[in-house]
Amino acid sequence: QVQLVESGGGVVQPGGSLRLSCAASGFSFEDYAIGWFRQAPGKERERVSCIAPVDGATFYADTVKGRFTISSDNVKNTVYLQMNRLRPEDTADYYCAAGVPPGVCFESMFGPQAMNYWGKGILVTVTS
């Protein structure tokens, strides 16, 4: 059974940090790109970051570049999103997704339409 399970969300003050985890199972981890998306109330789902576990290639949206870091643990089949210097506008439901091939992480290819499997999402709230 293909499964992506997010964890690590919660409530944090502006300027704080959270680390999200995406645990993958049921498919060949290194054959896929693993991405993070987010959706805030009243807004479209937007891309956040992506990693190809096979070679570590990454993508970051301009809105999070320099603040967020994506990484993969290929033994645990888990992808992490370290979120630093969080802002209220980062508040959203965060979704982990997997797409094939790993080159999906390339900037021009990465988007919701390229992903095959999705987690159920986890809420991140940044508030004073």
Side-chain angles (χ1 to χ4, degrees):
Q1 189 79 22
V2 172
Q3 193 171 19
L4 296 168
V5 180
E6 302 98 335
S7 62
V11 181
V12 66
Q13 294 185 11
S17 298
L18 285 173
R19 189 180 75 159
L20 303 183
S21 298
C22 173
S25 61
F27 62 95
S28 182
F29 187 68
E30 294 186 351
D31 288 344
Y32 282 76
I34 309 296
W36 287 96
F37 299 82
R38 66 187 184 187
Q39 188 165 19
K43 295 186 177 180
E44 298 289 325
R45 184 171 52 183
E46 66 175 351
R47 58 189 190 175
V48 177
S49 188
C50 189
I51 189 167
V54 65
D55 61 7
T58 59
F59 164 82
Y60 297 95
D62 289 342
T63 51
V64 306
K65 195 174 299 180
R67 300 188 297 121
F68 292 10
T69 302
I70 193 169
S71 62
S72 66
D73 184 330
N74 293 7
V75 174
K76 296 182 177 180
N77 282 6
T78 300
V79 167
Y80 305 96
L81 185 68
Q82 179 67 46
M83 306 185 294
N84 298 324
R85 303 194 305 279
L86 284 161
R87 306 164 180 168
E89 53 263 41
D90 294 318
T91 296
D93 289 316
Y94 282 71
Y95 298 88
C96 177
V100 67
V104 162
C105 282
F106 187 68
E107 180 175 357
S108 64
M109 298 179 63
F110 180 52
Q113 298 81 4
M115 315 311 287
N116 303 106
Y117 307 116
W118 292 84
K120 67 179 182 180
I122 191 165
L123 179 63
V124 171
T125 302
V126 185
T127 184
S128 298

